[in-house]
Structure formats: structure tokens, C-alpha cells
Amino acid sequence: MNELIKVNYETDRPTVMGRELHEALGVETPYTIWFPRMAEYGFIENEDYVTILLDRSDGKAGKPRTDHQLTIDMAKEICMIQRSEKGKQFRQYFIEVEKQWNTPEAVMARALQFANNQLDSIKQQNLALTDTVNRQNEIMTAWKPKVLFAQAVETAKTSILIGDLAKILKQNGINVGQKRLFEWLRSNGYLIKTGSSFNMPTQRAMELKLFEVKESTVTNPDGSIRVTKTPKVTGRGQEYFINKFLGLAKDKPTIE
């Protein structure tokens, strides 16, 4: 079938441009007058045709030209209204366009194209989802050693010395030594600052079960016995301070 006029197949149904049909039919009435007359035959905008604004053909500034995208059904009826040989010729042409559009092969091809478009859309969604998951995995990978460590100390049964806690913190990127950690614990109300109980856990710290006090007996050279007390960080305390210093809790202190 020879092409008499350009048919657009990019929409959900074939269409032609009104100005191109007007010219092809050889209508002498100006398009701006002719098309409104055609529309009066009962055609509905946005159903039978769509109005389109085009740039001026001369490239100059000014009011854009109005054109219309017509369905093949509307184009057929307009051709019949013309009552001319060209009108009859174009009407037969549009009938053939419809026949080819509705052949089983054409319908299957459109269905396959639709399925491919849907598949491409799903692929794009999956790619976006994969990117999101990958970013989340990168974040989790960065935090994983710290999270696992915090989970491990949660179930720890052995209390450790404050100096050992300082070593663990330093291994996990917290720049602190034993002396500075003791100072921080005193400054923040976990250890007593002065008196005979210096460096012993405060009442608050004991209530939180962050520390326990290990008592040991030492025999002096003169045979007398003295009792020593050593603060040790419980498993719960290790989790508490690790979470603080690694930023897993809302309060992330800076050790100075």
C-alpha cells in the first residue's frame, strides 16, 4: 500500500495531522476556517482529535499555528464529507490503514511491544531497587564490625578492667588511653572524683549495672591483711560504652 499521507503510529492508535490532510485533500478554504466546520459534525476534542500548537513555519516570533492530531475514524469521516475524488481516495486509504492495524500480526506485535516496554520498566525499577540495596549494604558493611562487636559484648559474661576497655575502644577507632578514659568516666559521673572512694563507681553507675567492684585481700610484709577494691566494667557496661563511643546511641560523646 502506497503512503498517501504520513500516519503516526506512536500513540495507542494511528493518527494523522489535520493540516497535512487539509493540504492533501486540496481544500481551498483556509485551514483555520475549514477545521472548525469539520469539528461541528459531532467530533469531540481529546477523543476524536487533539489540538496542538506549532511554531511558526517562517521561524519568526508571533502567535503559534494551531494543528490537530486526528484519529483515523475522524479522518475517514472528513474525507467522506468532502464529496470529492480525493476524499474518496483518502477514505479508502484510511480503511486499509485500519485493516492493517487490526490484523492479528499487528495486534500481536503491539502486545509484544507493550510487554517489552513493561519488562524494560520493571528492569529499570529493579535496577533502582538494586542500587538502593547496594547503598544500604555498603552502609551496613561499614558499620558491621562495630555492630557485631556491640552485640558480642552484650552477652559477655566476663568483666574487664577499665584499661582493657580503653584498648578495645582504641582498636575500634576511638582515640583514648587508660588515663584519659578514667578522666572521662569521672567527668561524666561514672566514677567518683575524690575521697576514699576515688575511682570507684558512682551510685548511678552501679544502678545501671555498668560496673562491679572486685575485692582482693593482700598480705602485707608485717603479716597484716588489707583489702583492695578494683572497678571492672561488666558485659552490660561494655555494651553501654561501646554504643556511646561508636555512635550507635543518640548521645555520642567526644573524649578529650
Side-chain angles (χ1 to χ4, degrees), residues 9 11 23 40 54 95 99 114 149 152 204:
Y9 295 97
T11 58
E23 182 178 352
E40 289 176 358
L54 304 175
I95 290 173
K99 284 182 179 179
F114 176 79
F149 180 77
R204 168 173 167 262

Side-chain angles (χ1 to χ4, degrees), residues 212-224:
E212 65 179 12
V213 178
K214 181 71 174 178
E215 293 187 353
S216 302
T217 57
V218 178
T219 303
N220 296 320
D222 60 2
S224 61

Side-chain angles (χ1 to χ4, degrees), residues 21-151:
L21 180 60
H22 171 265
E23 182 178 352
L25 291 173
V27 179
E28 295 182 358
T29 304
Y31 181 78
T32 53
I33 298 174
W34 173 80
F35 184 81
R37 288 178 182 174
M38 296 298 102
E40 289 176 358
Y41 281 89
F43 299 116
I44 302 172
E45 187 171 9
N46 295 324
E47 183 175 324
D48 298 305
Y49 67 92
V50 176
T51 301
I52 299 173
L53 296 179
L54 304 175
D55 293 335
R56 289 169 56 100
S57 59
D58 56 11
K60 296 180 180 179
K63 185 177 179 181
R65 291 196 312 163
T66 300
D67 203 345
H68 303 87
Q69 196 170 28
L70 319 179
T71 64
I72 295 300
D73 277 342
M74 180 175 177
K76 281 191 308 181
E77 291 193 44
I78 286 178
C79 290
M80 185 172 60
I81 293 170
Q82 304 310 305
R83 295 188 179 88
S84 65
E85 189 60 33
K86 279 192 175 183
K88 181 179 178 181
Q89 180 185 7
F90 274 87
R91 182 172 180 274
Q92 290 299 320
Y93 175 75
F94 291 137
I95 290 173
E96 288 300 317
V97 168
E98 279 191 324
K99 284 182 179 179
Q100 292 187 15
W101 176 257
N102 292 317
T103 60
E105 294 82 5
V107 172
M108 287 296 295
R110 291 197 299 276
L112 180 60
Q113 183 61 49
F114 176 79
N116 287 335
N117 291 340
Q118 290 294 100
L119 181 59
D120 288 340
S121 177
I122 292 173
K123 286 180 178 179
Q124 292 299 321
Q125 292 175 9
N126 287 341
L127 285 174
L129 180 60
T130 300
D131 288 342
T132 300
V133 171
N134 287 339
R135 287 195 296 271
Q136 291 175 343
N137 286 340
E138 289 174 0
I139 295 171
M140 289 304 297
T141 299
W143 279 100
K144 188 175 181 180
K146 300 175 181 180
V147 173
L148 290 178
F149 180 77
Q151 291 173 342

Side-chain angles (χ1 to χ4, degrees), residues 183-242:
E183 291 174 354
W184 186 90
L185 291 170
R186 289 194 298 268
S187 298
N188 287 273
Y190 296 103
L191 296 181
I192 296 172
K193 297 179 180 180
T194 60
S196 59
S197 297
F198 179 69
N199 273 350
M200 289 297 104
T202 61
Q203 184 65 30
R204 168 173 167 262
M206 291 299 290
E207 290 175 355
L208 291 174
K209 298 181 180 180
L210 305 180
F211 296 94
E212 65 179 12
V213 178
K214 181 71 174 178
E215 293 187 353
S216 302
T217 57
V218 178
T219 303
N220 296 320
D222 60 2
S224 61
I225 297 175
R226 60 187 173 89
V227 178
T228 62
K229 295 181 179 182
T230 305
K232 301 186 75 173
V233 186
T234 63
R236 182 171 180 174
Q238 294 167 51
E239 178 197 8
Y240 179 89
F241 291 116
I242 290 296

